[in-house]
């Protein structure tokens, strides 16, 4: 489905799984608010880098957005439904030396976790391994959000 998370039909799902969701939605929301073309970021490494640096300089808009995001994510789950969001450092972030993205994502993850609990969801993060490695990348426990809507 090609749609904004906020424009999806009011359906509920047994599972919502996303990789690099938080960094992408933060970047998309920033572009929406400022008029920067989201698509152009992926064709211009300098613009991509400068946009992340600008987000790092002013994150005052993020709490309101992250609250809306958490409410929306929680609303998508059926009773017993599971939410899994993974946001490990991407190859592009490494190549462009964008260490700030990890800090921004960690801030967003912390905020989203608190808001998901406020929405009545329960953390399932105790069962996540400390580190998951493949030959291509490493995912740390802190990179993953796992929550479940109680039955």
């Amino acid at each position: 489905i090609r749609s904004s998370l906020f424009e999806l039909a009011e359906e509920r799902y047994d599972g919502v799984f996303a990789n690099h969701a938080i960094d992408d939605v933060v970047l998309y929301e920033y572009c929406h608010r400022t008029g920067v073309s989201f698509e152009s970021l992926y064709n211009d490494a300098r613009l991509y880098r400068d946009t992340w640096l600008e987000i790092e300089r002013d994150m005052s808009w993020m709490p309101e957005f992250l609250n809306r995001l958490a409410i929306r994510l929680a609303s998508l789950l059926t009773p017993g439904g599971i939410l899994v969001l993974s946001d490990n450092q991407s190859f592009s972030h490494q190549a462009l030396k964008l260490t700030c993205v990890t800090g921004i994502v960690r801030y967003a993850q912390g905020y989203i976790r608190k808001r998901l609990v406020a929405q009545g969801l329960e953390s399932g993060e105790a069962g996540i391994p400390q580190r998951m490695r493949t030959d291509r990348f490493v995912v740390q426990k802190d990179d993953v959000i796992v929550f479940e809507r109680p039955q």
Side-chain angles (χ1 to χ4, degrees):
I1 299 171
R2 185 178 175 142
S3 175
S4 163
L5 182 65
F6 295 100
E7 295 169 353
L8 280 173
E10 291 294 323
E11 293 186 44
R12 291 193 172 215
Y13 303 92
D14 294 331
V16 175
F17 304 90
N19 187 35
H20 287 285
I22 295 174
D23 59 344
D24 286 344
V25 296
V26 165
L27 194 57
Y28 183 84
E29 179 67 12
Y30 176 83
C31 289
H32 177 74
R33 288 171 179 267
T34 61
V36 172
S37 167
F38 182 73
E39 291 77 18
S40 67
L41 296 179
Y42 293 94
N43 295 318
D44 184 339
R46 178 174 286 203
L47 179 60
Y48 183 82
R49 180 175 171 71
D50 290 348
T51 300
W52 275 114
L53 294 173
E54 185 57 37
I55 292 170
E56 182 185 37
R57 279 191 283 279
D58 179 14
M59 297 187 349
S60 61
W61 56 274
M62 287 184 66
E64 179 273 330
F65 169 68
L66 295 172
N67 187 55
R68 283 190 304 119
L69 177 60
I71 290 169
R72 181 61 177 144
L73 290 169
S75 77
L76 293 173
L77 296 176
T78 59
I82 297 172
L83 171 69
V84 179
L85 305 176
S86 175
D87 277 274
N88 61 308
Q89 188 178 44
S90 74
F91 295 118
S92 62
H93 299 155
Q94 291 173 16
L96 295 170
K97 298 181 180 13
L98 278 168
T99 56
C100 69
V101 177
T102 300
I104 294 166
V105 168
R106 291 291 184 261
Y107 167 80
Q109 288 171 319
Y111 198 94
I112 290 168
R113 283 181 176 101
K114 289 176 190 167
R115 299 311 306 155
L116 291 173
V117 168
Q119 292 296 310
L121 275 65
E122 297 174 351
S123 175
E125 294 177 4
I128 300 173
Q130 287 292 61
R131 188 172 191 197
M132 298 164 272
R133 176 185 279 284
T134 74
D135 59 336
R136 293 185 52 224
F137 61 88
V138 174
V139 176
Q140 305 288 343
K141 183 174 184 163
D142 290 347
D143 295 331
V144 183
I145 291 175
V146 178
F147 275 81
E148 181 177 357
R149 176 172 294 290
Q151 293 282 353

